[in-house]
Amino acid sequence: MSFVLAGKRVYVAGHRGMVGQALVRRLASEDCEIQTAPREIDLRDQAAVRTWFSANAPEVVIVAAARVGGIKANDSRPAEFLYDNLMIEANIIEAARQHGCRKLLFLGSSCIYPRMAPQPIREDSLLTGPLEPTNQWYAVAKIAGIMLCQSYRRQYGCDFISAMPTNLYGPGDNYDPDGSHVVPALIRKASTAKANGDAALTVWGTGTPLREFMHVSDLADGCVFLLEHYSAEGHVNVGSGREIAIADLARLIAGIVGFAGRVEFDASKPDGTPRKIMDGTMMADMGWAPRIDLRDGLADALEDYRARFE
Ligand code: GDP
């Protein structure tokens, strides 16, 4: 089975975010017409989304728009993480149906899975146990998005699919100290500590949690692959298959940044899920693999950080 993107109007919802930017870069080599909506369109506003779809008639939609953030942002702004994400996905998915879109790819994240899911996490672990409390609001919204795609497929015959990326990093990331994920947070902390000549940088938590990381360009490539080759109800994990302890990640980033001081741990900050790595068998069996290794990917992310902030 193969779906052709060439010649089609492809709407990237959330093109200003890290994932959306990577999708726009990747789609540039697909000979399709890339569509983006202006900043004024509030995707939480159903009427605005409908009007935009009427005017622009996308044939393919990628839902990369979301309220996203790291452990602190999720935990302290639960209503925004739940409401905004529910509204964004419901509005886009329904508008895509109403306007007869040929294909839609919904993006979630690995935090949809139960906190204690067996590792590596298989797609069928979904809804088999309680969620990680620090990001359950975002997770519930994203699970609803997967089920929207499934229900639209069953009831309306829409070719709507879902992909669940692992923890991502790369150009265009959010470096806000309170809202960011761990990679951009540590790039910023190490860069600042180096610039200030600090003796140490502080990592949240114990440093023992294990996380899998993937460069966002690999995700964008996986998304194009899925649009072209996948059409079924089940959501698909997209990961790198490589995990690292947060303490080792911190030392790796410190090395790449050139910060020679100590790495300290603040155990009063939450660790979150103890281990989170996804099973990538579905993608591998279809013939897709990521290409960017962690060290090269982090160097690329650092270059982006320096270009934007230094
Ligand atoms: P998570 O994967 O949903 O837990 O989200 P994060 O990327 O925010 O955090 C991953 C892990 O990195 C958690 O164990 C955090 O406690 C840890 N961590 C260490 N230092 C930092 C930091 O400065 N910012 C963030 N966001 N996480 C950090």
Side-chain angles (χ1 to χ4, degrees), residues 14-70:
H15 71 284
R16 278 178 298 271
M18 174 173 68
V19 171
Q21 289 175 35
L23 285 163
V24 169
R25 286 195 302 272
R26 175 62 185 79
L27 287 166
S29 54
E30 289 302 312
D31 205 17
C32 56
E33 182 191 330
I34 302 169
Q35 297 182 313
T36 58
R39 187 181 290 275
E40 303 77 70
I41 307 289
D42 182 345
L43 298 174
R44 296 168 301 183
D45 176 347
Q46 187 180 48
V49 172
R50 277 191 189 159
T51 305
W52 189 87
F53 268 74
S54 297
N56 295 279
E59 297 164 288
V60 180
V61 175
I62 308 177
V63 187
R67 162 83 54 202
V68 296

Side-chain angles (χ1 to χ4, degrees), residues 16-200:
R16 278 178 298 271
M18 174 173 68
V19 171
Q21 289 175 35
L23 285 163
V24 169
R25 286 195 302 272
R26 175 62 185 79
L27 287 166
S29 54
E30 289 302 312
D31 205 17
C32 56
E33 182 191 330
I34 302 169
Q35 297 182 313
T36 58
R39 187 181 290 275
E40 303 77 70
I41 307 289
D42 182 345
L43 298 174
R44 296 168 301 183
D45 176 347
Q46 187 180 48
V49 172
R50 277 191 189 159
T51 305
W52 189 87
F53 268 74
S54 297
N56 295 279
E59 297 164 288
V60 180
V61 175
I62 308 177
V63 187
R67 162 83 54 202
V68 296
I71 195 164
K72 183 170 175 184
N74 258 273
D75 213 17
S76 55
R77 296 190 277 123
E80 285 173 45
F81 277 81
L82 185 50
Y83 177 84
D84 290 357
N85 286 312
L86 285 171
M87 295 304 284
I88 290 167
E89 69 205 21
N91 289 341
I92 295 174
I93 289 169
E94 171 62 5
R97 178 192 72 82
Q98 286 177 343
H99 292 86
C101 287
R102 306 267 303 277
K103 188 118 198 178
L104 177 144
L105 171 63
F106 174 71
L107 290 170
S109 106
S110 57
C111 72
I112 58 161
Y113 292 112
R115 172 183 162 83
M116 298 314 263
Q119 308 280 330
I121 310 173
R122 287 159 41 114
E123 285 86 353
D124 61 10
S125 295
L126 189 65
L127 293 172
T128 56
L131 299 165
E132 156 63 32
T134 52
N135 56 30
Q136 59 182 321
W137 321 98
Y138 177 85
V140 164
K142 287 294 177 182
I143 293 168
I146 295 173
M147 299 197 75
L148 271 176
C149 291
Q150 292 175 347
S151 63
Y152 275 58
R153 177 175 278 279
R154 282 196 195 181
Q155 186 174 342
Y156 304 122
C158 296
D159 189 358
F160 292 180
I161 59 173
S162 303
M164 298 301 121
T166 192
N167 291 12
L168 302 168
Y169 67 90
D173 215 338
N174 165 19
Y175 291 92
D176 165 53
D178 285 338
S180 65
H181 285 101
V182 61
V183 169
L186 292 177
I187 287 175
R188 180 177 169 148
K189 281 181 183 176
S191 301
T192 309
K194 182 186 173 192
N196 295 343
D198 294 341

